[in-house]
């Protein structure tokens, strides 16, 4: 048992101006309240969802011509840790990677859906990074669970696992009060606007 | 005589903006005084020192109670004893904050501890934010206040997180439904937790799911249960123990199996029970911040009779040295164990109001506010009065 509290030999109640964004926001609200005395506004709660998969994915791609790949199989596995990315090379070799290793192949531009779509249509294929991000593996790397995988990367007749993963995903709801959209007091995204 | 400064009221719309409409509701009419108490720097130092000196003493006394098997003498329901002992021994069950109630401290009266609200202290928005806004609205120096409650809470939520690195930082806050005043307190706590890096959610306790094998859950909007490793309840532990004994039992299993950290920890009941006043006096007799307290009536002095787990002045009697009742407040707690504490005079203003100081403690004393009533026993009709340092 070692409870935590301030060492008595130090400390002071004098702290200067409050610096927290909370106070900057409240201060701005006061200024606007004093300037105009409009009333209204009920407090509502805004839910922000964070969804993540509970199961894993094994995605297999085949090199169909040098540097171009197509997904030939994708399935859900119970244990997230068993997720794998399997690459069958043109020369017959097979390479297997876990999520962490595979994610090194993905860079920011691979995550842009418009770019991926255009490149694919124009060039008839795409690199491994964008396939990883826009297949079931992408969910393991943090892609939004509500986004769909990109069908163009799958060989005709091969189905992705989006719906299976989604149905078993968990969502944590972060609920924060907002003031009728007028002030955005508790909403982190709008705090910056009160910096004046 | 207390010196006050008359101030203009805060504009009503600021309460709407903050989402704290309770303060402008009919229930809270006149609750926020349009005066500020003048406090000298020396007096502010005194409150700060008193809080910082008392908390370590409370920790010593709680340890003394547990080591000497005195829990049964504190009036704390037996179905909380196991969870109290467990959380006391495991320091990641961290006490976020409490509020000392003091007599004196101003007007040349010595600071004296009346009690420590350790489990579910309220008046957070008033102390941390509203009295500071009063300074600003009245064009006063906003540094002239003993008030860094909010920053201290953020720091303590960070400490809580660091003490529990093995747990996801998801925290659920709960009050009982239809408790707008409590909700405002929780809204501020949620903001501080969020700033400290927690993901925060709110559900009234009626909707929270407790599983003795898996922990604490609340349904998300799809109806799927989400697990929360941290749960802050602005609901007194003794209400849980007495009104919902099954919940007390489940929470004991959840906490001792480390499925969740429940805040404030159950051991804060040791600080909260006024029985601790007797043991404080026993271990620190004649300490400058303490009043003589005992389980027996005090002889030859005016004393206050209190029930150990009473709230808002209920079941309190002030009795003079000849046994005459000076003032009395009824209530529902009369069957509880009683403590007798020497009476300490409260500071007064020219209208005859009596003032009690509230000092928040979160790792250190961090904020001062006052409540006042026109009688000596402050009850739930008391007004909140802010302060300024001059």
């Amino acid at each position: 048992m070692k409870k935590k509290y301030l060492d008595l030999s130090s400390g002071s109640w004098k702290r200067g101006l409050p610096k927290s964004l909370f106070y900057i926001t409240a201060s701005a609200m006061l200024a606007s309240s004093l300037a105009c005395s409009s009333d209204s506004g009920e407090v509502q709660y805004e839910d922000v969802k964070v969804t993540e998969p509970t199961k894993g994915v094994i995605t297999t791609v085949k090199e169909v011509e040098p540097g171009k790949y197509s997904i030939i199989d994708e399935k859900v596995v119970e244990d997230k840790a068993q997720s794998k990315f399997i690459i069958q090379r043109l020369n017959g070799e097979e390479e297997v990677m876990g999520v962490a290793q595979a994610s090194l192949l993905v860079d920011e531009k691979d995550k842009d859906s418009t770019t991926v779509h255009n490149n694919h249509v124009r060039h008839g294929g795409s690199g491994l990074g964008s396939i990883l991000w826009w297949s079931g593996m992408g969910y393991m790397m943090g892609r939004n669970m509500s986004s769909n995988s990109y069908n163009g990367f799958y060989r005709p007749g091969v189905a992705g696992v989006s719906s299976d993963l989604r149905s078993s995903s968990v969502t944590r709801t972060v609920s924060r009060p907002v003031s009728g959209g007028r002030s955005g007091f508790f909403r982190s995204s709008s705090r910056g606007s009160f910096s004046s | 005589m207390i010196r006050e400064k008359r101030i203009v009221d805060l504009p009503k719309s600021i309460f709407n903006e903050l989402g704290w409409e309770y303060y402008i509701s009919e229930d809270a009419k006149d609750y926020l005084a349009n005066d500020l108490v003048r406090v000298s720097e020396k007096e502010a130092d005194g409150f700060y020192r008193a809080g910082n000196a008392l908390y370590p003493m409370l920790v010593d006394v709680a340890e003394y109670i547990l080591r000497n098997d005195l829990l049964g003498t504190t009036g704390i329901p037996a179905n909380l004893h196991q969870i109290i002992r467990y959380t006391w021994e495991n320091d990641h069950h961290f006490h976020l904050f409490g509020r000392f109630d003091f007599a004196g401290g101003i007007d040349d009266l010595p600071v004296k501890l009346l009690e420590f609200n350790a489990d579910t202290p309220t008046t957070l928005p008033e102390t941390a934010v509203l009295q500071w806004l009063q300074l600003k609205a009245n064009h006063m120096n906003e540094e002239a206040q003993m008030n860094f409650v909010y920053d201290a809470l953020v720091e303590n939520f960070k400490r809580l997180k660091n003490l529990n690195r093995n747990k996801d930082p998801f925290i659920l806050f709960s009050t009982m439904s239809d408790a707008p005043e409590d909700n405002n307190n929780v809204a501020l706590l949620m903001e501080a937790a969020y700033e400290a890096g927690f993901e925060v959610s709110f559900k009234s306790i009626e909707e929270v799911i407790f599983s003795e094998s898996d922990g604490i859950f609340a349904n998300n909007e799809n109806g799927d249960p989400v697990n929360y490793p941290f749960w802050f309840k602005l609901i007194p532990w003794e209400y849980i123990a007495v009104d919902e004994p099954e919940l007390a039992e489940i929470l004991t299993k959840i906490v001792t199996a480390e499925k969740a950290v429940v805040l404030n920890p159950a051991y804060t009941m040791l600080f909260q029970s006024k029985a601790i006043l007797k043991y404080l006096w026993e271990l620190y007799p004649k300490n400058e911040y303490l009043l003589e307290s005992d389980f027996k009536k005090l002889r030859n002095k005016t004393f206050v009779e209190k029930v150990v787990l009473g709230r808002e002045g209920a079941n309190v009697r002030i009795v003079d040295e000849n046994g005459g009742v000076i003032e009395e407040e009824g209530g529902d707690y009369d069957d509880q164990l009683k403590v007798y504490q020497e009476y300490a005079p409260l500071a007064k203003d020219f209208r005859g109001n009596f003032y009690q100081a509230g000092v928040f403690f979160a790792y250190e004393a961090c904020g001062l506010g006052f409540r006042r009533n026109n009688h000596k026993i402050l009850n739930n009709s008391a007004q909140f009065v802010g302060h300024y340092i001059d």
Side-chain angles (χ1 to χ4, degrees):
Chain A
M1 194 283 301
K2 176 94 182 72
K3 297 289 171 256
K4 287 184 183 298
Y5 45 76
L6 181 75
D7 179 336
L8 289 182
S9 60
S10 61
S12 162
W13 55 268
K14 292 178 190 171
R15 295 302 161 99
L17 295 172
K19 293 173 194 71
S20 154
L21 283 173
F22 177 92
Y23 283 81
I24 293 165
T25 308
S27 178
M29 284 175 180
L30 178 70
S32 73
S33 287
L34 289 170
C36 68
S37 59
S38 64
D39 267 338
S40 84
E42 294 224 326
V43 184
Q44 296 173 335
Y45 280 83
E46 176 191 57
D47 286 340
V48 180
K49 289 192 293 179
V50 183
T51 305
E52 56 191 37
T54 57
K55 295 182 178 178
V57 176
I58 297 178
T59 301
T60 307
V61 296
K62 190 177 171 78
E63 195 173 12
V64 287
E65 51 181 286
K68 286 183 184 168
Y69 298 86
S70 180
I71 300 171
I72 58 165
D73 187 52
E74 192 169 75
K75 61 186 177 210
V76 169
V77 287
E78 285 302 312
D79 184 358
K80 249 163 111 170
Q82 297 302 314
S83 295
K84 288 189 195 87
F85 188 56
I86 302 169
I87 307 166
Q88 296 177 355
R89 305 282 184 191
L90 269 179
N91 61 9
E93 285 177 10
E94 191 170 275
E95 201 176 337
V96 181
M97 301 176 184
V99 175
Q101 194 188 352
S103 64
L104 297 175
L105 301 175
V106 181
D107 62 30
E108 284 310 305
K109 70 177 176 357
D110 294 324
K111 298 180 181 179
D112 182 333
S113 61
T114 321
T115 314
V116 166
H117 182 79
N118 291 342
N119 281 348
H120 182 70
V121 171
R122 211 173 304 133
H123 304 297
S126 197
L128 287 172
S130 51
I131 288 186
L132 275 163
W133 186 253
W134 292 101
S135 67
M137 283 299 280
Y139 298 122
M140 301 295 130
M141 299 174 183
R143 198 177 103 223
N144 191 324
M145 287 298 294
S146 63
S147 65
N148 288 318
S149 294
Y150 180 56
N151 283 332
F153 292 153
Y154 290 78
R155 192 155 78 181
V158 177
V161 295
S162 303
S163 58
D164 285 2
L165 279 185
R166 243 176 247 146
S167 64
S168 60
S169 67
V170 289
T171 303
R172 299 182 190 278
T173 303
V174 181
S175 174
R176 289 196 288 270
V178 291
S179 318
R182 219 148 63 82
S183 63
F185 183 55
F186 288 96
R187 234 177 354 199
S188 61
S189 57
S190 59
R191 289 174 176 191
S193 63
F194 289 103
S195 57
S196 62
Chain B
M1 193 73 68
I2 277 191
R3 287 154 298 179
E4 302 161 278
K5 184 182 174 72
R6 179 54 58 95
I7 52 168
V8 299
D9 287 336
L10 289 173
K12 283 195 169 174
S13 55
I14 185 70
F15 297 95
N16 297 122
E17 293 260 9
L18 287 160
W20 296 345
E21 284 90 350
Y22 168 76
Y23 298 105
I24 47 172
S25 69
E26 197 54 33
D27 283 352
K29 197 164 175 290
D30 300 328
Y31 170 66
L32 285 175
N34 56 354
D35 298 306
L36 293 176
V37 176
R38 181 180 178 276
V39 175
S40 70
E41 286 214 5
K42 197 174 157 209
E43 289 165 338
D45 284 342
F47 284 119
Y48 181 71
R49 277 203 310 271
N52 290 343
L54 282 164
Y55 195 84
M57 286 158 62
L58 285 162
V59 169
D60 281 353
V61 173
E63 176 71 8
Y64 171 82
I65 289 171
L66 292 173
R67 210 176 40 237
N68 293 288
D69 228 3
L70 296 168
L71 203 43
T73 69
T74 59
I76 298 171
N79 57 353
L80 294 177
H81 290 189
Q82 186 190 351
I83 193 171
I84 286 172
R85 288 183 182 282
Y86 180 83
T87 52
W88 183 258
E89 292 303 327
N90 291 278
D91 293 330
H92 57 282
H93 294 271
F94 181 55
H95 186 195
L96 280 173
F97 72 112
R99 193 193 72 229
F100 291 102
D101 284 346
F102 289 123
I106 43 174
D107 204 17
D108 293 328
L109 292 169
V111 187
K112 294 289 182 184
L113 175 69
L114 297 177
E115 59 187 64
F116 184 44
N117 301 282
D119 177 17
T120 55
T122 54
T123 69
L124 256 186
E126 299 90 309
T127 308
V129 182
L130 297 178
Q131 64 169 341
W132 167 74
L133 286 172
Q134 286 175 326
L135 291 184
K136 287 187 75 80
N138 285 276
H139 310 292
M140 297 167 71
N141 174 11
E142 61 180 294
E143 292 181 58
Q145 213 163 59
M146 177 189 164
N147 182 7
F148 56 101
V149 179
Y150 182 82
D151 289 340
L153 285 171
V154 172
E155 289 308 309
N156 258 6
F157 274 113
K158 287 181 184 167
R159 288 187 183 99
L160 174 70
K161 197 152 70 97
N162 288 336
L163 288 167
N164 290 277
R165 287 175 193 276
N166 56 337
K167 296 185 176 72
D168 289 334
F170 298 119
I171 182 165
L172 180 68
F173 289 82
S174 296
T175 58
M176 288 189 276
S177 56
D178 300 325
E181 187 185 359
D182 291 351
N183 288 351
N184 294 332
N185 280 273
V186 159
L188 189 66
L189 285 169
M190 288 171 75
E191 186 67 19
Y194 182 74
E195 192 158 332
F198 279 90
E199 288 194 27
V200 298
S201 291
F202 177 85
K203 277 272 190 279
S204 62
I205 188 169
E206 292 87 347
E207 297 175 72
V208 180
I209 302 158
F210 301 94
S211 157
E212 61 181 50
S213 55
D214 298 316
I216 296 170
F217 295 80
N219 282 343
N220 64 18
E221 60 181 14
N222 301 322
D224 299 322
V226 176
N227 177 241
Y228 290 91
F230 299 88
W231 182 48
F232 182 94
K233 40 128 216 104
L234 199 62
I235 297 140
W237 274 107
E238 76 267 19
Y239 287 14
I240 294 172
V242 174
D243 300 349
E244 299 289 353
E246 191 188 346
L247 178 57
E249 197 179 315
I250 296 172
L251 285 174
T252 300
K253 286 179 178 155
I254 288 173
V255 167
T256 56
E258 288 298 336
K259 299 290 181 190
V261 168
V262 178
L263 302 156
N264 277 313
Y267 68 74
T268 57
M269 282 296 286
L270 283 168
F271 302 154
Q272 176 90 30
S273 165
K274 295 175 193 54
I276 202 163
L277 298 169
K278 175 234 176 351
Y279 292 113
L280 270 169
W281 185 254
E282 197 174 305
L283 263 65
Y284 297 95
K286 301 193 168 40
N287 179 279
E288 60 175 315
Y289 301 121
L290 298 179
L291 294 162
E292 182 181 353
S293 300
D294 207 330
F295 292 150
K296 304 189 299 277
K297 288 180 183 173
L298 306 180
R299 286 164 179 249
N300 304 321
K301 53 183 68 171
T302 302
F303 64 82
V304 183
E305 175 188 296
K306 305 173 172 187
V307 287
V308 291
L309 299 175
R311 285 170 185 273
E312 295 185 317
N315 300 97
V316 173
R317 288 201 306 164
I318 304 176
V319 180
D320 69 22
E321 55 199 53
N322 302 315
V325 176
I326 297 173
E327 204 172 300
E328 186 169 19
E329 190 80 26
D332 303 328
Y333 305 119
D334 207 36
D335 54 346
Q336 287 183 11
L337 176 71
K338 292 183 175 65
V339 166
Y340 302 88
Q341 183 183 45
E342 181 184 353
Y343 178 76
L346 301 177
K348 282 173 76 175
D349 64 19
F350 71 95
R351 289 177 295 257
N353 287 314
F354 295 92
Y355 287 70
Q356 232 178 56
V359 171
F360 275 91
F361 186 93
Y363 189 75
E364 62 186 301
C366 57
L368 170 68
F370 292 89
R371 284 177 306 145
R372 75 177 174 201
N373 241 174
N374 56 6
H375 39 88
K376 295 187 175 81
I377 301 172
L378 271 71
N379 59 20
N380 58 7
S381 70
Q383 279 186 303
F384 179 86
V385 198
H387 75 283
Y388 72 106
I389 291 167
D390 186 21

